[in-house]
Amino acid sequence: MRLLKQLVPVALVAFAGGAIVGAVQGSPFLVLVLGVATAALAVFVYARVVRWSERRAPVEVAGEGAVAAVGRGLLIGVGMFAAVIVNIAFLGGYRVDGLGSVTGAVGQVGFMAAAAVTEELIFRGILFRIVEGRTGTWIALVLTGLVFGLMHLTNEHASLWGAIAIAIEAGGMLAAAYAATRTLWVPIGVHFGWNFAAAGIFGTEVSGNGATQGLLHGVTSGPALLTGGDFGPEASPYAVVFGLLLTLVFMWLAHRRGNVVPLRRGATATLAQ
């Protein structure tokens, strides 16, 4: 019941906000305002339902240190995607054909802010955190990562390999980032930085959602095995490798800080209930 008490209100905000932002896609500045508003409302609702259902302060979205934590995550996310693009470009799979659209990039800020915040609240703040408490960190990381990857099968240019890649490089990495820091602000920053770099800077497709307008007019070409094909660079093996490496780094930090919840006895039986 605790899961539903938290999941339903936050999911409703995510769904309504996503629908509203989608309806004003032709106006980048409206997308920016409404996207940021959706993100802020989702955090507010999450904090209230956690306080109500768990009788505790929602420290994982505490305001103190939030800006610095998001900033750290942002640098990691942008840096990781830039490394992916550089490696693809080195083999001739990506090139820049001039400048893109500043207003398009502005709209991407709002769109990606809403997506990053709502998805992190749902998948790491609610699903991962609650499953982790019943099964342990590693099982929760695998299970919620798979769910996160499968969710992307509903996208326009989805593929099974793309969903698997997302499960590994994003689902696992972002859960590990939360386990290492015990704050949602770092994974939110990583998620936003990764997505905004893909769409708002390099102008590539994000998770098979269609073409985007960013600061650069980016063109991908060549074998899908290298570039990720219609799904975008997230389905590139470079993205999977870098995501997996970051997952291991975050889990090493989590272990070092004593943040890894051990495997619960009877976890399989608990999940089956």
Side-chain angles (χ1 to χ4, degrees):
M1 290 302 296
R2 178 165 57 111
L3 188 148
L4 290 177
K5 287 178 181 178
Q6 297 176 18
L7 183 61
V8 171
V10 178
L12 285 174
V13 173
F15 178 80
I20 294 171
V21 169
V24 297
Q25 280 295 307
S27 176
F29 290 100
L30 266 180
V31 172
L32 172 64
V33 172
L34 293 173
V36 171
T38 296
L41 179 60
V43 172
F44 174 79
V45 170
Y46 173 87
R48 291 298 297 268
V49 296
V50 166
R51 190 181 297 274
W52 165 63
S53 62
E54 299 186 12
R55 301 294 189 270
R56 68 173 180 86
V59 294
E60 61 272 25
V61 289
E64 185 177 357
V67 173
V70 171
R72 290 194 298 271
L74 182 65
L75 290 175
I76 293 170
V78 172
M80 177 182 168
F81 193 83
V84 171
I85 285 294
V86 166
N87 278 275
I88 293 175
F90 181 75
L91 295 179
Y94 175 85
R95 71 178 188 275
V96 176
D97 279 357
L99 297 178
S101 168
V102 173
T103 56
V106 167
Q108 291 297 332
V109 172
F111 185 85
M112 295 308 177
V117 171
T118 56
E119 288 180 13
E120 290 312 301
L121 293 175
I122 290 172
F123 284 95
R124 263 57 69 176
I126 299 174
L127 293 179
F128 173 78
R129 184 173 56 80
I130 291 176
V131 173
E132 181 189 39
R134 302 189 68 177
T135 67
T137 300
W138 283 105
I139 290 180
L141 186 148
V142 172
L143 290 178
T144 59
L146 286 173
V147 173
F148 187 66
L150 290 174
M151 180 194 74
H152 289 76
L153 285 174
T154 61
N155 294 349
E156 183 181 357
H157 299 144
S159 67
L160 180 59
W161 164 244
I164 293 171
I166 289 291
I168 298 171
E169 75 204 28
M173 176 187 65
L174 294 167
Y178 171 73
T181 61
R182 293 300 163 180
T183 173
L184 287 170
W185 297 121
V186 171
I188 284 172
V190 174
H191 195 151
F192 174 80
W194 170 269
N195 280 357
F196 181 74
I201 298 176
F202 295 103
T204 65
E205 190 154 356
V206 180
S207 306
N209 276 310
T212 58
Q213 285 188 322
L215 295 174
L216 301 175
H217 181 212
V219 178
T220 56
S221 59
L225 180 62
L226 169 66
T227 65
D230 290 338
F231 194 83
E234 287 165 307
S236 165
Y238 287 116
V240 175
V241 169
F242 286 131
L244 187 56
L245 287 174
L246 270 178
T247 300
L248 294 176
V249 170
F250 280 129
M251 288 307 296
W252 174 77
L253 284 173
H255 184 269
R256 185 178 181 182
R257 294 170 178 175
N259 289 345
V260 177
V261 178
L263 177 67
R264 303 296 194 188
R265 289 190 177 184
T268 304
T270 299
L271 288 173
Q273 291 178 357

